[in-house]
Each structure stands twice: as structure tokens, then as C-alpha cells.
Amino acid sequence: MYLLFVLAALLGVFQAQPQRSPSSIEGVVTRLGTTEPLANANVQLNLEVSGDRRDEIERQLQPDTPPIDSFHRKATTDGNGHFFFEDVTPGEYRLIATYDGEYVPAEYGQRSPAGEGIPFQIAVGQKMAGIQLAMSPTGAITGRVYDRDGDPLGKAQVLAMRPVYKNGHRSMTIVQSVVSDDRGDFRLFWLAPGRYYVAAKPDVLELPMKMAQPNSFTTPMVHVTSPTRFGTYELGTTPVIHKRKLKNGDIVEEMYVPVYYPNTVDMSAATAISVTGGATVGGVNISTGMGLITPRHIRGRVVDAAGQPVSGANIIAMPASLDPYFAIPHARSESDGTFEVTGLAGGSYQIFATIASEARTMNGYSAASVGERDVQLAPIAMTPGFRFSGRFVIEGNPRPGNGGNISYPHLGSLIRDPDIGGIFFGSPEFNPTPAADGSFMVDSIPPGNFRVLLQHMPPDGYIKSMRMGSADVLNDGLRISGVPEAPLEIVIGVNAGRITGSVADTRSGPLPNRTVVLVPDIRLRQRNDLYRVVSTDVAGRFQMQGIAPGDYKLFAWENVEPGAWQDSEFIQAYETAGQRIRISEGSVENIQLTVIP
Amino acid sequence: MTLLGTGVLALVLQTSLVQGVVLRKGTTERLSKATVELHRDPGSAGILDSVTTEDDGRFSFSNVEPGNYRLIVTRRGYARPPLAITITAGQPVENIQLNMSPAGSISGHVFDAQGRPMGNVEVQAMKASYPEGRRTLTPVQSVRTNDLGEYRLFWLPQGRYYAAAIHPKVQGMSQMLFSAVGMSMGGPAGMVISKGKADPALGESGYVPNPDPESVRYAPIYYGGTADEQTASGIDLREGADFGGVNFVVGPVQPRHVRGVVIDGITGRAAQYGSITLLRGPDAPRMKDVEVDRDTGQFDMVLFPGSHALTANSASGEGYAAFTLGDADIDNFTIPTTPVYDIPGRIVVDGPPIASGALEALQLSLRRDPPRGEQLSLSYSNPLPDRSFTLSASVGDYRINIAPILNLTRPRGGPTPALQNAYVKSARLGDTDILNGTLHLSAQTSETLEIVIATNPGALDGQVVKNDPGPAADIPVLLLPDLRSRNELYRATTTDASGRFHFDRIPPGDYKLFSWEEVEDGAWYDIDFMMAYESRGTPVHISEGRAETARVEVIP
């Protein structure tokens, strides 16, 4: 039964052809704003299949069907900027032109030089011709870095960042990291047109040139990639603490935090630099002296459940801030369980204590706020991790047509809240397959606050509720501080709502590639899982699935920064422009939206 | 706590004070604003401690545990190589002098084959070392070009450098780390976490996926426009100099085919069950294993242009080949495999007799010529009491190694007292001189290898003079044989306080003396380097049992 379902899905993706298909795609890649062709550009034709479905389809392919990867094709433009894909198997694709260096990727259907494109259909025998992919040239930012005495500073780390929303808050992400030379000069390059922030700090991280020989010469860490349109990158490194002996014999500690252009350590006060295609913005000079701080210490002690000191535990202080570049102060506990973490700038931190050996694995957790002085923490209890049991319950009738074998979802992962990213700090990931009665068990869960993520939801499945005893885990998160007293009960509905609709303008007609966002009711705005974001297709249409019953608002924007809709300040301004919609079990709502300019 | 307990605790905790001063080399001028970093050696690259000097140029690290460390000092406008120090329990190291000299730079551009600037290409400054007299380059600093193809290597101490440009698609480990989106790495003193999501248009490493990964590849290009380490051009960087114009053209390198047959070296027919192992250095890019047809012995290797060496095995024996691959395929490449041949030999002593039994300590072996790749030739032969010996080798070219009196590689120990004055006067296989030439082994030989060992070497006393006043003290002196391939005869020493030097136990022959004010260890192995100074050496002839004298002018 499952096999039939998958084959049907496969056929929905592309139509199997018994004989050769004459479908083809051809076009030209040009430099934006001109008719100048670009030779040697790479053009990718990628089959549009989303994540989970792709794995399933690949597993179940019939023997005589070509493998999925053969539907990802690459070509290079000739001297006339021309590309040609022949013998294209009908289906849904994306078409992207890329260039190793000087041009921003251009995707078919994009509405701005660095925007995302849309997938399109190739039918049997269709010959798509005359496509033009216009690639925007990149820009550069140059300047000089100065030290605290006003002298040029070499080997300073210089970051180019672009603004992004993280969990509804304004922040930045790193696009590129370079190193200043001995004259203090730097050049940030291959930047897609847009707004950038530039920050600098001394003590660039150096890594061994040969990892197998850790004492070999080191090279400064840079992050330079082919031009990107979007993508995020965050970097954390061990803080570098300098010691200076003053004339009176005192030893002072010093540390640098990044200074944002023009001259501030406050990310929100930084000035954006506008970079246009093909242009270089010069004179972006930064003085790192502003970033000089006195690093603070956190002292504490780790003990096990019996109150005995834990020696050799790794203590890491993760800043709660959303800065794309962050320091990771860390230390090791001594034989008496005490530890001293140095190199902390002011702010809030989550403290993680971990120890993993053959004998035992334990985790501890605390929080600290660092201000003008050192912090003494209460002892941190480390435990082997808690185990708890859980159960999935399927409630309600499935959507007609889905009937049959409804399988339970899986517990995917627990994401620390606030999110610090990475398994390293004990965001456990596991995938226990629920038993036939929907029950499962998880082990070694460290203490902390988490959001629960599920995987492999059944079709049209949604989370009705998630409770651990009397705690509402779905809305308040999962808080683990001791052995959980009750099992985690997750109730799944299998007849979620759907929305189909279109976005059109009375004058121009249907609007493709516009962003449509489903925002939950104002009382549930913290529920990340309730938001849905899609782009309209070529005909201005969109659809959404798996929507939990409730009240929502739908918005369609002409242009919007991804994630802005989670910013309460931002969405406030648009509340009245959203279309109210109520979703019930099994409903299919059909909505026509007007776009918000 | 008992007294004993306290005592034990104190021993374990005996840390030391490490301190010193940062000076401008050649002066007593102290340098402020120098950052001195303490690193473990070996260890991760994390900084254990860091101090910035004030006007007095002083730095100190307290409570340093016993162990090996490196001090890395950076200071705007100056440079010096890292200093290795060893701390023993409870012993302070208090008088460290970190001499810094004005730093130099190497800069230039990287272009592609069409003359367009290439961005994000890694350019490395490298230093040469000469194990077995053959150049190996090791990177000491690396930077990336910007979109204009410009790069600048800076804060380099003076010396002789080589440079290489490496395309980002040569996936070195550091490249992968820097672009990796989503990794965490921890070490005893350092930690890195990176995370994020890439633009779907780019591959995982942040680069545009190659249209056809098999056909387009890149290999490091050395300054001088070659892909071969051995012929890379050197850069003599003076104190504080800016050496510009070090440009590269980096283009995709077409891998080429080397097609041929593994044959039976005696019959000339195809060998069965053949296999080929490419000998390569530790950093060479991975290549596919070579497949050799089991019956026909045919193979088709795909390699980059450059120097290659391989060993072959088959039912007929062993084989070896060293070759240079240019910009074209090689066809009909035959690799003979033969059984291992035995070469009988005997030792004859010329001059004062050597105590019986002393010769049996000699370790004779054959080393491939030229030496290449991983050659772990650990097997050797000792002479029998009757002074005969047997060496075994398969087809190939060799030089003879007689440890510890004729050492092509670093010997494990020195000669015993009975052999102190012994040297190899001649080595002949039949009529062929294999001491000054190469032993070509192509078939079972009927001849005997005769090694003549003499015990009456010469010696040399000399004086180094220089133009400016004062004795030429503490200056390196090189004694190089006229036949430069005899690298085992190279000798180096340093003059004493009055500029005098002495070499003893020199095998008789023709030599040249060189002396430089400052020279890098091993620079004399470099043919390019020596070409410039050849005429400024002092010829000297060493005879048996005599001490010569010589006067050498120093090269500034």
C-alpha cells in the first residue's frame, strides 16, 4: 500500500516516459542591465523535490527509472552565453545560473537580482526557449583597521554582515570574513548588492595549516565563498585574553569585542553600507579600540547527584545574544569540582557542564548574567541525564483518501530554548521509532528548556496537544530539571486543514513569486510551528497543508524580509492588512489575497 | 594532611616562571606593543597565555607547567620565527631574548589562463628543507587573493622562500574547515563553532558545483610557473623588504593518461598478477588506485603532470619507475618487473688495518636514486667476518649507503672508535664506479661489488675573513665536494671567536669552501642558490693524512 502511494507521488513529480522525450530548455546568461552575454557561467537544472519526499522516492524507484540525481543537470554557457538542456524529462524544475566569483546567482523567476526564483513545469514535448538569466555583478567594501593607539592594525578579523531576522528579532548574519594586511587594509568582495554592516576585531582565529600536525604553522581563518544571495553563517571562537603589566606592577586583563562601523559595539546602532553591483565602497575605516573591554570571570563548582565534586568537566558559557560572531568562554573543572571561566563580556549566558567518559556521561546547566564584576555561581548539579517515556495518540478520523495505515510520527529533536544551535551542547537528537501502541522512551536528556520537534508526521497530521502531566509542553516548552514525573503525551490529529489560494492584482493579474505567510492567532505568536511560509507559483497560486485548526491571518507581501513576520513590532503595523481565516479539521479554505506593497 | 602528602603535592605543582624581553635585533632597543603568545608544542593552535609588552619590552608568564612550548611574537613591522622552549619542573626560564627584525612581505597577483584575476585563491609562503638532499617545501603562512587577484603575505622574517598558489577547488583540509557550515571543533586550548545554512545554489563547501568534476582539476602552482617542487623558484627576502610581482597563472590542469604494460623484465612478455603502487608524498591529492589487468599486465593511469614514482609487483618480481609527466599522454610505458637480484660484494681495507670485527658493524644498503616518496628501506646487510657481504635489489638505479661512515640519510648512531677514521675510498661494481655515479641494475650481475675503505682521511684548518673590522666569529662555513651529487660529503661548521674553523676526517678529493654572514640551513642544496655564489667559493684539495689550510672570504 505504501509502495503504491510512493509511486503515485513519483508520477506526480514527473511523468515516466516510455520513449525519448523531446523536451528541452535553452536560453542565455547575461550581465544584468546589459545584453552582454556571460561565457563560462554554470547553469544548474534541478529537479524540485522537497526533503523527506525525496528520500522516500529514491528508496522506492523502479529499477529501470534513472536515478534522481540524473535529473540534476549542469551545463556551462558557451562564448555567446548560451546554454541548452536537451532531452529533459518532464517535471518540475528550478533553473539557476552561478558564477565562481564576480556575479550573483540568478534564478529563473526571481524578481530582484539577489532574489529566489520559482519552480516551473516542463511538459511532454515542451521546448522552453528564450530564457534570459541576468546576473548582477558583485560589489566590494574596502577600508582600514586601526588599533587603540590609532596605528594600522594587521591580522584583524573583518566581517561583512547582512541583516536578518532570528526568531523575530533583528540581528545579522556573517556573509564574509577576511583579514587585514600589515597596513591595516582590508577588502570585502563578491558581495551581492544590498545593505551590509562591517565589524572588526583584533586576534583573528588561527588554525593549524595541517590538521594532522597541530604544531605546524597556522593560518588565519577566513570565510569566503562564491557570491551568495542568502544563507546564514555564525561563528564562535575561544576568547583571546591579553595580559598587560602596568607600570605599578598590576596585571590587567583585556579583551576585544567586535566594533561595528562606524564606531560602536552595539549591533543595533551600526550603520549600514549600501553596496551596488559592480561598485566598490571605500573608506570604511574602523578603530578597534572601542571594543576593548575588561573580561569578567565566572566561578563555580560542579557536583554530582551525591554532592561529590566532578573533576574534568567541560564548562562552556554560551552567550544568549544573537550576535553572528560570538566568543565561547570555557574552562575545565578541577579535582575539587571548582572552575573559573574567563573571557566573558557583559550579557546573559547559559552555562553548560558536560563530562563524557567510558564510565559516565553527565550534564549540568545553569544561567548567569555578567555585568561589571565577576560572578560566583551556585553549585551546578550534574546528572546522567534523565529518561522519560512518551506516547503518541492518534485522535480523530483521517482525511478521506488518506485512509489506511497511519503511522506515528517520531520524536525528532529537542531544541534548546533559547536556541544556541548544535548537538555539542546537549540538544539531543534521536529517532526512536514508536512501538505499535505509540509509546517510546528517550534517555540521557540533559536539564534545560527545550522545544520539541517531531519528524515524519503522517499526511495531514498536526499536533493537537503535547502535555507532560499538567505542563503544557506545546505552548510553554519542555522544562527538564529533574526526573520527569509524568510521560510526555502527544496527541496527533490526522485531518489538518489546508489552504489554497492565489494572489492577484486587479490591474496586472496573477502575481507569481510573492511571499504568503500564515500567522497564528495573536495569543499563539510564539508557536514557531504554526507559521507557514510559501511563495506563489507561476500562476500566482499557492497552497498550504498540515494546518492545525484555529484562527489565523494570511498575508501576501510584494517584498518582505524573511522572518520579519515573527517580529511583533513589524507585524503590528500590518495587522489590519492580514486576512482573517479560521481553519477547522479537514477544511479546505480558498482565499484570494491582495498583495501588501 | 601529613608532611609526606604536602611534599608530594608540592612536586606535582612545581610550575615555572617564563620571562624575557623583546628586542630589535642587533640593538638593545626594547620593543613595546609586541604581543607574546605561549603555545603548547605539539598541541592545538590555541593560545595558552598572551602578554603585550610595555615600553620596557618585558614579558612574563607565571605558573607554567613543565613541557614543551613555543613563543610566538607579533609586532607591527617586525617578525621573527617562533621560539621553541622546554620547561623543566621548578626551573625558571628568565632571560629569554626575542630578537625581532624588520618584517618583509611578498605580494603579487593570481590570474587564470585567460589573464583574468582570480579571487579566493590560497597563496602560501613556503620554506625548503632537504632530507636526503632533495627539496621538500613546507608552508609557513597562507593568505587568500581578493577579487582583483591581489594577495599579500606579510610579517615574514628575512630568508629564502618559495611560494605556491592553490585553487580553492583543491580541497585542502583548511579550506573545508573555513567554509564548513555547521561544525564544532574542540581542543585543549581552543574551540570553534560554526553554523548556518548555505545558499542552495552553491555546494556544501560554498563553491559552485563543478559541471564535470572529472575533467577539471587544479594542482598547486609554484612561483616560477611550475607544478614541480624541485624546480620552483626561490625568493630571497631581505630584512624589511617588500618583494612584489610574485604572480601566478592558475589554470585547470588536465590529468593525463600513462598507458603501458607491466612486463617480465627477463622475457619481455606481459607479467601476470601485476599491481602498481604510486609513491607519493603525505600531502599529495588522492588518486584512484591503478588497475592492472591480471593477464595482460596493461594499465591506464590518470595522473597530473609532474614528477612521479611508482613501484610495481607481479608474478615475475618487483619493479620501479620514476618519470616526469608533461602536458601530454604517455603511451607504451613498460615497467619491467624482475626477481630480486643478489649482488655479492667484499670490503677491502686500504691503509692502516682495521680491527677485526669492527667492519661487521657496518650496515650496507642500497637507496633508490633519485630518492622519492616514502622509502622505508630498513633492510641492510652486515659484512661477514671474511669481509664479504650480499646486497639484494630489483631493477632500478641506486646509490650505496654504508652506515655509519657513508650516510645518505641520517644514521642512527656514530661510528665506533675503530671506525672513527674510516671512509669509503671507492665503490665499484666490476669496472663501474658507483660511488661517484649511479648503480644501474637491470639484470643479474656476475660481477662483485668492491668497496675500498681507507682509514687515512685528510683535515682542514681555516680562517674566515671579512671586510669590516672584527673577527668573523660565529659564522657558518660550508665544505662542499666538487661533485655536488655526493651530498653525504657536505660538511658544515661555525667559526670560533677568532674566526677560525676546523674540519677533520675529510675523505680526500676536491672541495670548495663557502662562508656566508647569514645563510639558511640547507640553502646550499639548492642549485639556483649556489649558482649565484659558485665563483665566490674557495677551492681546496684534500689529500690523505694531511691537514690543509685555507682562507675564506665571507659572502655578505
Side-chain angles (χ1 to χ4, degrees), chain B residues 40-209:
Chain B
R40 225 181 276 280
D41 180 16
S44 77
I47 305 170
L48 289 176
D49 210 347
S50 160
V51 169
T52 308
T53 60
E54 298 293 318
D55 293 334
D56 64 358
R58 297 204 64 81
F59 63 91
S60 78
F61 300 103
S62 39
N63 300 324
V64 182
E65 291 174 5
N68 296 324
Y69 297 89
R70 294 162 89 221
L71 289 172
I72 297 179
V73 55
T74 47
R75 204 263 184 204
R76 187 172 62 89
Y78 290 85
R80 66 147 294 131
L83 181 72
I85 55 172
T86 303
I87 308 297
T88 45
Q91 287 197 356
V93 182
E94 287 179 325
N95 50 3
I96 300 175
Q97 263 191 17
L98 291 173
N99 291 313
M100 301 189 81
S101 37
S105 71
I106 294 174
S107 58
H109 288 78
V110 178
F111 301 102
D112 66 10
Q114 283 78 41
R116 290 187 308 236
M118 288 187 78
N120 205 19
V121 172
E122 184 181 354
V123 181
Q124 294 180 343
M126 314 178 88
K127 287 288 209 174
S129 59
Y130 294 87
E132 289 194 65
R134 198 180 153 81
R135 181 192 292 167
T136 306
L137 297 178
T138 312
V140 298
Q141 199 185 103
S142 102
V143 292
R144 306 273 191 100
T145 57
N146 59 26
D147 55 327
L148 306 172
E150 304 168 332
Y151 74 88
R152 187 176 169 87
L153 294 150
F154 54 93
W155 289 348
L156 296 168
Q158 75 163 115
R160 189 170 172 80
Y161 293 89
Y162 298 83
I166 302 166
H167 193 277
K169 285 184 177 158
V170 176
Q171 279 278 315
M173 184 56 126
S174 64
Q175 314 267 5
M176 279 167 48
L177 272 181
F178 293 178
S179 321
V181 168
M183 65 117 178
S184 63
M185 190 176 84
M191 187 180 278
V192 179
I193 296 177
S194 74
K195 55 190 176 92
K197 286 193 301 209
D199 183 332
L202 307 179
E204 269 179 23
S205 59
Y207 285 97
V208 172

Side-chain angles (χ1 to χ4, degrees), chain A residues 13-153:
Chain A
V13 168
F14 63 86
Q15 297 141 47
Q17 285 294 293
Q19 66 265 32
R20 267 180 56 125
S21 146
S23 305
S24 64
I25 300 175
E26 67 97 7
V28 81
V29 177
T30 58
R31 192 186 153 109
L32 180 69
T34 72
T35 49
E36 184 192 322
L38 289 180
N40 287 319
N42 301 298
V43 186
Q44 302 173 41
L45 180 66
N46 295 327
L47 186 70
E48 178 78 348
V49 179
S50 62
D52 265 5
R53 284 222 305 167
R54 183 204 164 92
D55 293 333
E56 291 172 17
I57 290 170
E58 271 189 334
R59 273 201 298 271
Q60 308 286 350
L61 275 181
Q62 288 287 59
D64 51 6
T65 321
I68 286 268
D69 276 328
S70 69
F71 299 114
H72 293 267
R73 297 174 51 175
K74 298 170 185 146
T76 312
T77 57
D78 62 17
N80 295 320
H82 190 250
F83 66 90
F84 181 56
F85 291 99
E86 59 180 337
D87 241 347
V88 178
T89 304
E92 195 181 28
Y93 292 92
R94 283 186 188 261
L95 186 69
I96 308 178
T98 54
Y99 210 86
D100 267 336
E102 324 134 51
Y103 296 94
V104 183
E107 193 179 344
Y108 177 78
Q110 68 186 65
R111 290 171 42 231
S112 62
E116 197 181 5
I118 47 171
F120 56 93
Q121 291 280 351
I122 290 284
V124 177
Q126 178 184 355
K127 294 179 182 357
M128 205 165 156
I131 296 181
Q132 201 178 58
L133 297 170
M135 300 182 80
S136 167
T138 53
I141 296 175
T142 63
R144 184 170 279 192
V145 185
Y146 295 94
D147 68 13
R148 63 208 272 195
D149 298 318
D151 292 319
L153 179 65

Side-chain angles (χ1 to χ4, degrees), chain B residues 514-553:
Chain B
F514 296 88
S515 176
W516 287 274
E517 283 259 21
E518 272 204 27
V519 71
E520 251 174 66
D521 206 37
W524 46 87
Y525 287 106
D526 190 329
I527 302 174
D528 282 335
F529 179 78
M530 288 311 295
M531 254 181 6
Y533 299 110
E534 204 54 57
S535 55
R536 303 171 74 170
T538 306
V540 64
H541 178 81
I542 305 291
S543 322
E544 276 201 352
R546 279 220 343 232
E548 300 291 333
T549 52
R551 200 165 159 275
V552 181
E553 266 186 35

